Amino acid sequence: MDNSAQKCKEQGNAAYKAKKFNEAIGHYNAAIALDPTDITFYNNKGAVHFEKGEYDLVIEVCTRAAEVGREHRADYKHVAKALARIGKAYSKKGDTDNALKFYDKAITEHRDPTILKERAEVMKALKEQERLAYIDPEKSKAEKAKGNELFKAGKYGEAVPFYTEAIKRNPADCTPYSNRAACYTKLMEFGLAMQDCDKCIELDDKFI
């Protein structure tokens, strides 16, 4: 262990805590120059770039951190931290695919609860993006029309999936909920019918 490098790291940590980010980076660079085999120097530098919103630099520095860590058999927790920070940087850039990719890599190194929580948040955001991207009022109307034809023909069970798809395509429209509730009532699924009726009222308290 290079004591001079560790001293530079400590100076960097102090500057980081004082939010003197450029100064902190200078100290971490000095530490790396003195001892390029210590993953923590790169990880700390990556943390500073993250605070500065320099996400491409976070990815670059933390990629190097993971390489150095593996090459010199660093504690797997440090490698996981580097990979997770790459994932976090990609998440900030709006690249959820790469974010999940690196969170998964981090988890294979160490199942840290914080990393697992961050990954879950990215998954939640991704599912919401997919849900919003799926919304299409015109397609909702088309699915609802198919359901209406089946309902008129007395095919209530067959109509339900079309109303369900109409809801997915336009969840702000209370009509497919009402129509599906009518199907459930005909099928004597009164609990499900009540849930859809409650949803109608939630969306539009004047809906009858």
Side-chain angles (χ1 to χ4, degrees), residues 22-76:
N22 290 336
E23 184 180 325
I25 288 172
H27 289 303
Y28 293 136
N29 282 338
I32 291 168
L34 290 165
D35 182 2
T37 68
D38 191 324
I39 186 176
T40 63
F41 303 157
Y42 299 91
N43 271 345
N44 290 9
K45 182 181 175 183
V48 179
H49 285 304
F50 190 89
E51 289 297 321
K52 293 182 70 181
E54 298 170 341
Y55 303 122
D56 288 332
L57 287 174
V58 173
I59 293 165
E60 179 184 326
V61 171
C62 290
T63 297
R64 182 58 185 151
E67 291 170 353
V68 168
R70 286 172 174 151
E71 183 180 347
H72 297 280
R73 298 185 179 182
D75 188 324
Y76 55 84

Side-chain angles (χ1 to χ4, degrees), residues 43-44 62 76-86 106 115:
N43 271 345
N44 290 9
C62 290
Y76 55 84
K77 293 179 182 178
H78 293 311
V79 176
K81 182 180 287 186
L83 295 169
R85 188 162 284 131
I86 294 172
I115 296 173

Side-chain angles (χ1 to χ4, degrees), residues 61 88 109 133 153 177 188 198 204 207:
V61 171
K88 199 170 183 178
E109 296 287 341
Y177 286 101
M188 302 186 73
D198 288 343
D204 182 359
F207 186 84

Side-chain angles (χ1 to χ4, degrees), residues 78-185:
H78 293 311
V79 176
K81 182 180 287 186
L83 295 169
R85 188 162 284 131
I86 294 172
K88 199 170 183 178
Y90 273 120
S91 180
K92 286 289 187 179
K93 284 165 62 71
D95 187 343
T96 50
D97 288 339
N98 269 317
L100 288 172
K101 174 183 173 182
F102 279 93
Y103 275 124
D104 287 341
K105 286 184 177 183
I107 290 166
T108 61
E109 296 287 341
H110 176 52
R111 290 183 66 82
D112 181 273
T114 300
I115 296 173
L116 291 169
K117 182 180 178 181
E118 289 175 358
R119 186 192 184 282
E121 289 171 354
V122 172
M123 275 300 300
K124 183 179 178 181
L126 179 60
K127 288 179 180 178
E128 180 62 10
Q129 288 173 13
E130 291 173 346
R131 185 188 73 81
L132 293 173
Y134 197 70
I135 291 174
D136 187 326
E138 290 306 312
K139 288 183 179 179
S140 176
K141 289 178 183 177
E143 293 299 315
K144 184 169 62 176
K146 293 174 186 176
N148 290 346
E149 289 300 316
L150 289 166
F151 184 89
K152 289 175 185 176
K155 298 178 180 180
Y156 309 120
E158 292 179 36
V160 167
F162 290 99
Y163 290 135
T164 299
E165 181 64 15
I167 289 167
K168 290 178 181 178
R169 288 292 186 178
N170 189 7
D173 183 5
C174 57
T175 308
Y177 286 101
S178 176
N179 294 358
R180 192 172 67 176
C183 288
Y184 285 142
T185 300

